[in-house]
Amino acid sequence: MTERPEGPPAQPQPQDQPSASPNWPPPAQPAPEAQPQPTPTPAAQPQASAQAQAHAPAHGAPSAYPYPGPQSRAGYGPPGTSAPAQAYPYGQPPGGYPPLGAPPATGAGGRAVLWGLVGAAVASAAWAGGVFLLGRGDAEADLRGYRAESDLCSSVDYSSFKNEYPEEDTSPVDHSLEHEALDQSYCSISLKTSSASSFSDAYFSVQVDLHKKTDPGPEFTALWSEYDQRYDDYEVEEIFGFGDEAYLVTEDTTSGDDSSGSRAATLAVRDGWMTYEMRWSAYGSTYDDVTMPEVDDVVEWLKTDTNATLDNLRESNGI
C-alpha cells in the first residue's frame, strides 16, 4: 500500500486548466490569454482558494483560480486594486439637478414648455402693441370749447327765476378747482321772494366740471339715468336738445292744498367731456306764508336758463 505525501489532498483542477502555474511568464512574452472558466459552486470555493494559496509562488504570480484571493497579508495574490470610482454613480450630480448650461429638453414635455414660453411672450407683445396702437390714457379731452370760471356766478343766467324771486342775492357763493385732470366751478345763489325774507325761500346752484383726463360718459349715464334708485319720490326723465345727453330729475312731496313738504328739480347735461348741473329746491311748512312754484314751471325755467348759461361758458376766459 503506497503512502500519500503530507499536505492537503489533491483537488481536481478546473476544466482545461494546467495543474500548476509557472512562476511568471518568460520576459518579453505576453501573458497567456485567460480562458472563460466555469463558476465554482459555493462549497468548492474554500478548497480552491486553499489550493491556490498553497501553490502560489512567492513572487505573486497570477493564480489559476479565476477570482483573486483575499488580501489578508502581504505576499499572497496580486497587488490590491480597486475599481475606478465612477463620477455620479446614478447618472447625475448630487441633488438631482442637471449641470449648469445643460441644453433644454428636447422631448414632448420640453417642447410643450418651450412653446408655452413662446406663447406667453407673443401674447405680452401683442398686448403691449394693442395699448400702443389704441393710445390708452392718451385721448385728448373733448371739452367742446367750455371753460371753468373762478367766479361762475357772474356767468350764470337765472333770469327765468327772477319773476318768482325778485330779490337779488348780494353775496352769492363761488368755488373753483383747477387741476391737470379736472377743472370745476360751483355757484350757489340764495333766492328770495322779497326783502322781508330773513332766510332763503329757495336754493339754487350750478356746477360745471371739465374732465381733462377721462371720458365721464359712462359714469354720467349711470348716475343720472338711475337717480330714482335713491328715493321713491324722485322721477327721472331723459330729455333731448342739450349736449350729448341730458336728464331731468324732479321731486314733489307736497299734496293738494297742503304746502308742507319739498319740491326740487335738477337738469344734468353732458356735452363731450363737460358735465353740468343746475338745481333748484324749496321747502315749505304749515307755518310759512310762502307759496312754492309748481315743479313743471321750474322745469321750464331750468331749460331756458341752462341754454343761456352754457352759451356764456363757451365765451368765458376760463379760470
Side-chain angles (χ1 to χ4, degrees):
M1 183 173 184
T2 306
E3 293 183 359
R4 293 185 180 179
E6 294 295 332
Q11 299 295 330
Q13 300 297 324
Q15 186 176 0
D16 299 332
Q17 292 294 329
S19 58
S21 300
N23 289 339
W24 54 80
Q29 291 186 9
E33 182 178 0
Q35 299 297 325
Q37 303 297 329
T39 303
T41 61
Q45 286 184 11
Q47 296 179 359
S49 178
Q51 180 181 8
Q53 293 181 9
H55 293 277
H59 297 283
S63 169
Y65 192 72
Y67 299 98
Q71 307 300 317
S72 57
R73 63 176 187 260
Y76 290 85
T81 57
S82 59
Q86 179 183 359
Y88 310 136
Y90 296 100
Q92 60 183 19
Y97 299 98
L100 296 177
T106 57
R111 287 194 298 272
V113 172
L114 177 60
W115 281 113
L117 295 175
V118 172
V122 171
S124 177
W127 177 86
V131 171
F132 176 77
L133 292 176
L134 293 177
R136 182 179 180 181
D138 296 333
E140 184 177 356
D142 182 13
L143 301 179
R144 307 289 173 89
Y146 295 100
R147 294 177 182 272
E149 291 191 1
S150 57
D151 57 343
L152 179 61
C153 290
S154 63
S155 296
V156 170
D157 189 331
Y158 67 106
S159 57
S160 298
F161 289 85
K162 289 183 178 180
N163 289 334
E164 184 71 23
Y165 307 101
E167 187 67 22
E168 187 78 18
D169 186 356
T170 58
S171 57
V173 177
D174 283 298
H175 295 301
S176 63
L177 169 75
E178 183 180 11
H179 188 269
E180 63 178 5
L182 175 71
D183 288 347
Q184 184 180 86
S185 297
Y186 174 81
C187 167
S188 176
I189 297 175
S190 177
L191 300 179
K192 295 182 180 182
T193 58
S194 70
S195 59
S197 300
S198 300
F199 301 98
S200 297
D201 296 314
Y203 301 91
F204 179 87
S205 65
V206 175
Q207 180 170 320
V208 179
D209 292 338
L210 301 181
H211 306 262
K212 298 187 291 184
K213 292 294 185 180
T214 57
D215 182 0
E219 293 182 1
F220 180 88
T221 303
L223 173 63
W224 293 104
S225 66
E226 304 299 331
Y227 204 88
D228 54 350
Q229 292 187 24
R230 298 185 177 189
Y231 301 101
D232 295 335
D233 296 328
Y234 285 110
E235 293 184 3
V236 178
E237 177 188 358
E238 184 177 8
I239 61 175
F240 303 93
F242 298 89
D244 294 326
E245 57 178 327
Y247 296 90
L248 185 64
V249 180
T250 58
E251 177 199 27
D252 189 356
T253 62
T254 64
S255 61
D257 296 335
D258 186 3
S259 59
S260 62
S262 62
R263 291 176 180 174
T266 300
L267 178 57
V269 178
R270 181 185 68 82
D271 194 5
W273 289 19
M274 185 279 301
T275 58
Y276 166 96
E277 303 164 27
M278 181 178 278
R279 301 172 180 265
W280 169 88
S281 61
Y283 303 88
S285 69
T286 56
Y287 302 100
D288 294 333
D289 295 332
V290 177
T291 302
M292 293 181 290
E294 298 294 329
V295 172
D296 291 343
D297 293 335
V298 173
V299 166
E300 295 303 318
W301 300 345
L302 290 175
K303 291 180 179 179
T304 300
D305 291 347
T306 288
N307 278 326
T309 301
L310 291 178
D311 288 341
N312 293 341
L313 292 175
R314 292 191 190 96
E315 298 173 359
S316 68
N317 294 324
I319 295 177

